[in-house]
Amino acid sequence: MECQRIHEINYNDWSNVFHNRNLDKRVPISGSLELTFRCNNNCIHCYCNIPANDRNEMSKEMSTSMATRILSEIADEGCLWLLLTGGEPLLRPDFKEIYLYAKKKGMLIILFTNGTLINEEIADLLSEWMPYSVEITLYGATENTYEDVTRVHGSYRQCMKGIELLLERKIPLELKTMAIRQNVHELPVMKKYAEDLGLKFRFDPIINARLDMCKNPQSTRIDIEDVIRLDLEDEKRLKEWKEFCEKYIGSPDSDRLYTCGAGINTFHIDPYGNLNICIMARKDRYDLKTGNFRDGWNDFLIKLREMSMSPYNRCMGCDLMSLCGQCPGWAQMEHGDDETPVDYLCDIAHKRAEAFGVKGH
């Protein structure tokens, strides 16, 4: 008797079908888990970097047992894609235990790291238990620029070594950067470096304030004219923006405060075990130390999704809202409330609309 042939489908097609089938079911298929706010770098633009050896911070972080309990709970509710991030997640002495626990629960792991702590042991772990992908942030194409951003001597060479170790083991790797005043001049070189290695590369020029509302990172933002120039100079990026505009531009058909997908199929958990609707909106949180993920997902996050904008919200009815990126998370980090618009985002949206030939008000 002949064996039945299993129908093959490429990952992108399968992922799209999977997401579409679960959209209306409100299943938490994708989430992010910050293992720590601590970092061994001290980047000038970072929104959360706390010194690596901060003992007070260590004492507040979730324990290994709590982390694995949370992983069990999110897996039981249907989480398949999980981002492990920080801070620098590899600072956790129990990283291997947490990572393996998530892998053995069947999750597809994306790991965000600065790459400087990747050694033979970590690289071998990732080779044996392959992640879905590892994303390393470049802070410059040259040692001087890189360390002007990280403010840590030796970090450039450590990062290059980490990249080398992952490439040797053929671990899925992508490179990215935050385009800031200190490194934007090296953006083309960073892109070429990644492409010469056969790696995907992306950049983001939109810098937000710190979680503690400190405005220092704002000084690293590039000029709005440069944001638009970068959009126009990159053919692939420009094409994606124009496709986005054709699909999403127009006044939102809802007065809901959260107009994105946060809390529908995605969630975020911070280093202390607090469940948030997304990685930026931290004001409202559900304590998983005293509650469980199912209740947080089915009760707490639903209530957040049901919140409406105030009638005085300046963004209500704006055709460019989707192009802008205004959201409660940005408002909280910039102003401390849910709805005060971030002028920086608003200005970028109008400049982009003008550059892309999009009409709005």
Side-chain angles (χ1 to χ4, degrees):
M1 185 176 75
E2 292 186 3
C3 294
Q4 288 185 331
R5 185 176 183 277
I6 298 175
H7 175 67
E8 293 185 4
I9 183 173
N10 69 51
Y11 172 80
N12 287 336
D13 289 343
W14 171 81
S15 178
N16 289 335
V17 170
F18 187 86
H19 277 86
N20 290 335
R21 285 181 176 176
N22 285 283
L23 186 61
D24 295 334
K25 298 177 183 178
R26 199 177 169 271
V27 177
I29 59 177
S30 178
S32 52
L33 173 61
E34 281 169 328
L35 295 181
T36 181
F37 285 141
R38 295 176 293 115
C39 189
N40 57 316
N41 284 336
N42 185 28
C43 294
I44 55 179
H45 63 285
C46 188
Y47 73 101
C48 71
N49 54 339
I50 293 174
N53 59 355
D54 188 314
R55 294 191 176 278
N56 180 57
E57 186 66 19
M58 292 181 203
S59 69
K60 296 189 294 183
E61 293 172 358
M62 70 179 82
S63 64
T64 309
S65 60
M66 181 177 179
T68 54
R69 190 257 292 175
I70 289 173
L71 289 171
S72 290
E73 291 179 2
I74 65 176
D76 288 346
E77 296 306 307
C79 181
L80 180 58
W81 289 273
L82 180 67
L83 166 63
L84 294 179
T85 185
E88 174 46 57
L90 296 182
L91 275 175
R92 291 273 307 217
D94 57 356
F95 171 80
K96 179 178 179 180
E97 186 174 347
I98 292 172
Y99 178 83
L100 286 176
Y101 194 90
K103 282 291 295 181
K104 291 176 181 179
K105 283 291 182 180
M107 297 182 198
L108 299 174
I109 305 297
I110 303 98
L111 174 62
F112 282 8
T113 173
N114 60 37
T116 62
L117 298 180
I118 294 175
N119 53 26
E120 296 279 351
E121 180 183 0
I122 292 294
D124 287 343
L125 168 69
L126 298 177
S127 178
E128 182 179 0
W129 296 88
M130 198 74 75
Y132 173 72
S133 69
V134 177
E135 296 191 11
I136 290 179
T137 304
L138 297 177
Y139 302 108
T142 63
E143 186 171 10
N144 285 341
T145 297
Y146 186 101
E147 294 183 3
D148 280 347
V149 175
T150 65
R151 298 184 285 197
V152 174
H153 178 68
S155 57
Y156 174 79
R157 294 185 182 183
Q158 290 173 329
C159 177
M160 294 300 107
K161 181 61 177 178
I163 291 172
E164 179 184 322
L165 289 170
L166 297 185
L167 289 174
E168 287 173 354
R169 291 160 176 78
K170 296 181 171 55
I171 294 167
L173 175 63
E174 297 181 18
L175 301 180
K176 59 189 178 182
T177 195
M178 298 303 298
I180 57 178
R181 291 183 184 276
Q182 290 77 4
N183 70 11
V184 68
H185 62 289
E186 292 187 352
L187 193 60
V189 185
M190 285 188 271
K191 181 181 179 184
K192 185 177 186 305
Y193 167 74
E195 291 175 345
D196 287 348
L197 292 174
L199 303 177
K200 291 182 179 178
F201 176 79
R202 71 177 191 273
F203 67 89
D204 186 355
I206 313 300
I207 303 295
N208 49 262
R210 286 179 59 89
L211 290 177
D212 57 10
M213 291 183 60
C214 172
K215 303 298 193 294
N216 288 348
Q218 295 177 355
S219 66
T220 70
R221 290 173 177 169
I222 62 176
D223 294 337
I224 291 174
E225 290 74 18
D226 287 327
V227 173
I228 307 306
R229 175 180 59 80
L230 292 174
D231 290 337
L232 298 176
E233 286 179 352
D234 188 312
E235 291 184 7
K236 181 176 181 292
R237 188 178 181 88
L238 180 58
K239 181 176 180 289
E240 290 173 348
W241 268 120
K242 288 187 173 181
E243 291 174 350
F244 178 89
C245 290
E246 290 175 3
K247 187 173 182 180
Y248 293 109
I249 290 297
S251 182
D253 57 4
S254 170
D255 66 347
R256 294 301 188 200
L257 188 60
Y258 288 91
T259 59
C260 62
I264 297 178
N265 294 121
T266 66
F267 62 89
H268 176 70
I269 298 170
D270 75 14
Y272 315 134
N274 294 310
L275 173 65
N276 308 108
I277 195 168
C278 79
I279 201 167
M280 291 187 69
R282 311 289 185 119
K283 183 171 66 71
D284 300 297
R285 53 189 178 269
Y286 178 86
D287 191 350
L288 292 172
K289 293 190 293 294
T290 55
N292 61 70
F293 180 80
R294 176 177 292 182
D295 290 344
W297 176 258
N298 290 322
D299 183 20
F300 172 74
L301 291 188
I302 282 181
K303 290 178 180 177
L304 288 186
R305 288 289 317 182
E306 291 174 347
M307 294 172 63
S308 298
M309 296 182 187
S310 75
Y312 308 106
N313 190 307
R314 196 177 81 196
C315 301
M316 188 177 290
C318 177
D319 291 341
L320 301 181
M321 191 170 178
S322 58
L323 187 62
C324 179
Q326 298 276 3
C327 72
W330 265 94
Q332 289 172 25
M333 295 179 81
E334 199 95 353
H335 303 296
D337 62 66
D338 289 334
E339 298 191 63
T340 302
V342 178
D343 290 336
Y344 177 67
L345 296 179
C346 186
D347 292 344
I348 289 176
H350 282 85
K351 288 289 186 181
R352 274 180 170 157
E354 181 181 339
F356 302 157
V358 174
K359 293 182 179 180
H361 66 275

